[in-house]
Amino acid sequence: MSVKEQLISDIDLLPEHTLQAISIIIKEIISINSKTGASPRPVFGSGKGLMRISDDFDAPLEELKEYMELKV
């Protein structure tokens, strides 16, 4: 179960007055995050090594062989 699902499950068990207090806290957290730019700037080179391009990347595709042989 994800954290979000667990929170929703836990919230269902709380009384209404507690839900109101939590709602205020959540709105404040959202406000703070939107002001501080919660999204960090990308770090150049941080994805190095995460992807690999195969050696035959530029090789002709077998599926397009007929198309490539068409003469105009």
Side-chain angles (χ1 to χ4, degrees):
M1 181 179 286
S2 71
V3 174
K4 188 175 184 177
E5 292 170 335
Q6 184 62 47
L7 282 171
I8 292 170
S9 175
D10 292 343
I11 285 172
D12 288 337
L13 304 173
L14 297 173
E16 186 64 31
H17 68 278
T18 305
L19 291 175
Q20 291 172 353
I22 291 173
S23 176
I24 293 169
I25 293 168
I26 289 173
K27 287 177 184 174
E28 183 64 27
I29 292 170
I30 291 171
S31 173
I32 291 169
N33 281 337
S34 66
K35 290 176 186 173
T36 61
S39 303
R41 293 190 51 92
V43 177
F44 295 107
S46 63
K48 184 176 181 179
L50 294 178
M51 297 190 318
R52 181 178 123 1
I53 297 176
S54 67
D55 295 333
D56 66 345
F57 178 78
D58 290 328
L61 297 172
E62 186 65 33
E63 294 86 9
L64 298 177
K65 183 178 183 179
E66 184 179 328
Y67 170 77
M68 298 298 286
E69 293 174 350
L70 290 178
K71 295 181 181 175
V72 180

